[in-house]
């Protein structure tokens, strides 16, 4: 839970600061995927999952995810997971409680981002290692 709070605070701070993000590396060995099926519980909790691979991080790295359905301009944040950037492929699973009834079983669009809080000049700035957007199917359960 504390990582979710840290991720949310860092993302908000990055948006408020007019400083540019540290450029993403062009390392083809870094990636993030999203599984084609997500779960939607009766209380509105959504669970998304996938894999990631990254290397060479100087700061903490997170896999964040979001989901949209019916209205593409409305995105629901679906948690964050701390990542280990050791060059190996790892699984990630994020869950987040959405407003009951705001999502339903069926087609949706998911996005996963592998982001580092890269220390630069004493301030952690976002450094994007990989991102993936794709269609998924939400199933009840």
């Amino acid at each position: 839970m504390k990582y979710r709070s840290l991720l949310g605070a860092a993302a908000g701070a990055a948006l408020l600061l007019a400083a540019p993000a540290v450029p993403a590396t062009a390392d083809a060995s870094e990636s993030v995927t999203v599984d084609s099926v997500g779960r939607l519980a009766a209380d509105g909790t959504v669970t998304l999952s996938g894999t990631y691979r990254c290397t060479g991080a100087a700061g903490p790295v997170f896999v964040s995810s979001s989901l949209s359905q019916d209205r593409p301009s409305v995105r629901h944040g679906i948690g964050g997971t701390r990542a280990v950037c050791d060059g190996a492929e790892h699984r990630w699973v994020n869950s987040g409680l959405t407003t009951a009834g705001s999502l339903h079983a069926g087609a949706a669009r998911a996005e996963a981002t592998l982001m580092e809080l890269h220390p630069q000049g004493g301030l952690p700035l976002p450094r994007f290692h990989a991102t993936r957007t794709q269609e998924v199917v939400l199933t009840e359960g």
Side-chain angles (χ1 to χ4, degrees), residues 70-97:
D70 298 335
R71 295 175 45 201
S73 63
V74 177
R75 299 203 59 82
H76 301 271
I78 310 298
T81 300
R82 182 83 185 254
V84 177
C85 288
D86 60 3
E89 184 174 271
H90 298 276
R91 297 263 325 140
W92 62 268
V93 177
N94 290 345
S95 293
L97 182 62

Side-chain angles (χ1 to χ4, degrees), residues 45-101:
T45 299
V46 173
T47 301
L48 298 174
S49 58
T51 64
Y52 72 88
R53 180 187 316 262
C54 57
T55 59
V61 179
F62 299 90
V63 179
S64 64
S65 56
S66 63
L67 191 71
S68 64
Q69 190 178 53
D70 298 335
R71 295 175 45 201
S73 63
V74 177
R75 299 203 59 82
H76 301 271
I78 310 298
T81 300
R82 182 83 185 254
V84 177
C85 288
D86 60 3
E89 184 174 271
H90 298 276
R91 297 263 325 140
W92 62 268
V93 177
N94 290 345
S95 293
L97 182 62
T98 62
T99 305

Side-chain angles (χ1 to χ4, degrees), residues 104-119:
H104 56 83
R109 186 165 187 86
E111 180 175 304
T113 303
L114 188 57
M115 184 205 66
E116 175 184 357
L117 294 177
H118 185 78

